[in-house]
Amino acid sequence: MRQRIREGPIAKDMAMKWCLQIAIALHYLHQEHYIHRDVKPENIFIDENDNAILGDLGCLSTKSLTGSFAGDFKYMARDVVKRAYAGGPDYTTKVDVFSLGLIMAELLTGKKQDMDIGNDIEKPIPYKPGVDNALIDICSDMVIKDPSCRPPIH
């Protein structure tokens, strides 16, 4: 996916198709009691039919082992960092929701979102001309600071 992003703008329909396919993959993992923990464009592969395939399952964690630290800071939920450095509560599948929200925003806006994971100030994803504000609102909900307020994937 990273290569496709570098090649230029991604059409909204294609971006939504890819996000839905990744959401389905994450839903399956979550039902099987796993958290991916490293959802990022470099770990999403686009096949010859333009299907998105979630890869690099090396950071998978069972829901009962969520105290460990893994993933890419650029796409990592704040709750993972807090758990690792401040001894916060165990994180949940909502860390994958956060990462998918950042990817969705990047696909829609053509810009990687600069989320300061060490900052507790809420930073909604800014609107962009030509992008449906409702979709940006969904992305903002997915990256909200409080994981209990993020929407589930189902």
Side-chain angles (χ1 to χ4, degrees):
M1 180 181 280
R2 174 60 62 209
Q3 181 60 36
R4 294 288 293 272
I5 291 170
R6 284 188 191 120
E7 291 172 2
I10 306 296
K12 181 182 96 173
D13 290 346
M14 187 61 65
M16 294 294 82
K17 173 185 172 181
W18 291 345
C19 289
L20 177 60
Q21 290 172 330
I22 297 309
I24 290 168
L26 288 172
H27 177 65
Y28 175 79
L29 288 175
H30 296 168
Q31 282 186 313
E32 296 298 315
H33 308 288
Y34 289 101
I35 302 171
H36 190 282
R37 302 190 309 165
D38 198 20
V39 180
K40 60 185 178 182
E42 291 80 1
N43 289 340
I44 299 170
F45 306 98
I46 307 302
D47 72 10
E48 64 278 357
N49 296 313
D50 280 330
N51 292 305
I53 301 162
L54 182 61
D56 193 2
L57 304 178
C59 288
L60 275 185
S61 172
T62 62
K63 289 182 183 177
S64 61
L65 296 174
T66 56
S68 61
F69 185 75
D72 185 327
F73 276 112
K74 294 180 289 278
Y75 293 91
M76 189 178 290
R78 295 177 185 105
D79 26 316
V80 176
V81 176
K82 284 184 181 179
R83 172 70 178 128
Y85 292 107
D90 284 349
Y91 49 85
T92 68
T93 58
K94 299 294 183 89
V95 301
D96 290 340
V97 173
F98 182 95
S99 301
L100 182 58
L102 286 181
I103 292 167
M104 185 172 156
E106 185 173 350
L107 290 171
L108 291 169
T109 65
K111 181 178 184 275
K112 187 182 287 186
Q113 302 305 308
D114 185 22
M115 301 295 289
D116 181 359
I117 59 175
N119 193 342
D120 280 345
I121 298 169
E122 196 56 49
K123 289 183 167 182
I125 297 183
Y127 293 128
K128 181 178 178 184
V131 178
D132 186 346
N133 288 349
L135 292 175
I136 298 299
D137 289 341
I138 291 169
C139 296
S140 290
D141 288 346
M142 293 171 77
V143 300
I144 200 159
K145 179 178 71 172
D146 182 351
S148 67
C149 294
R150 293 180 203 142
I153 293 178
H154 45 250

